[in-house]
Amino acid sequence: SMGVGGGMVLILYLTIFAGYSQTEAQGINLIYFIPTALISLIIHSKNGLIEWKSVLPAIFCGVIFAAVGSYLALNIDPSILRRCFGGFVLLIGIKELFLLKTG
């Protein structure tokens, strides 16, 4: 929520070390995200970093894609889901290593 990427780390921890299935780990991550996102919203709002006219469209899109993602996660074979998530984490890691951040 603050740019750390803790959600990915949490899912990796829960699946590799704590023994949760991919689907359970993603559910726990989503529950963890709610209070974290609210705190981040308060902090960013106090710092004047929220574009309020973009909030409703972002919420609308987020709810739709969360529902679609949940449906897909429950209906995809766990081994395929695990590979897709691993590929996503790998791509994000490569992006973070090789692309310069501006701003």
Side-chain angles (χ1 to χ4, degrees):
S1 68
M2 299 292 280
V4 177
M8 269 195 255
V9 175
L10 179 62
I11 291 175
L12 291 172
Y13 170 79
L14 291 172
T15 55
I16 295 170
F17 299 109
Y20 287 92
S21 72
Q22 184 76 27
T23 306
E24 291 171 326
Q26 287 179 270
I28 292 168
N29 186 52
L30 288 173
I31 291 170
Y32 169 79
F33 174 77
I34 293 169
T36 306
L38 289 174
I39 291 168
S40 298
L41 179 64
I42 292 167
I43 292 169
H44 289 312
S45 179
K46 285 182 178 180
N47 291 327
L49 300 173
I50 305 290
E51 292 181 29
W52 288 105
K53 59 184 170 188
S54 301
V55 169
L56 285 179
I59 291 171
F60 179 74
C61 291
V63 168
I64 289 174
F65 283 104
V68 170
S70 296
Y71 175 79
L72 290 174
L74 291 173
N75 292 299
I76 292 176
D77 182 271
S79 65
I80 294 172
L81 184 63
R82 195 173 304 113
R83 287 184 188 131
C84 289
F85 182 74
F88 175 72
V89 171
L90 185 63
L91 287 173
I92 295 299
I94 291 168
K95 174 192 163 282
E96 291 296 315
L97 281 174
F98 294 108
L99 294 180
L100 295 175
K101 292 186 179 194
T102 59

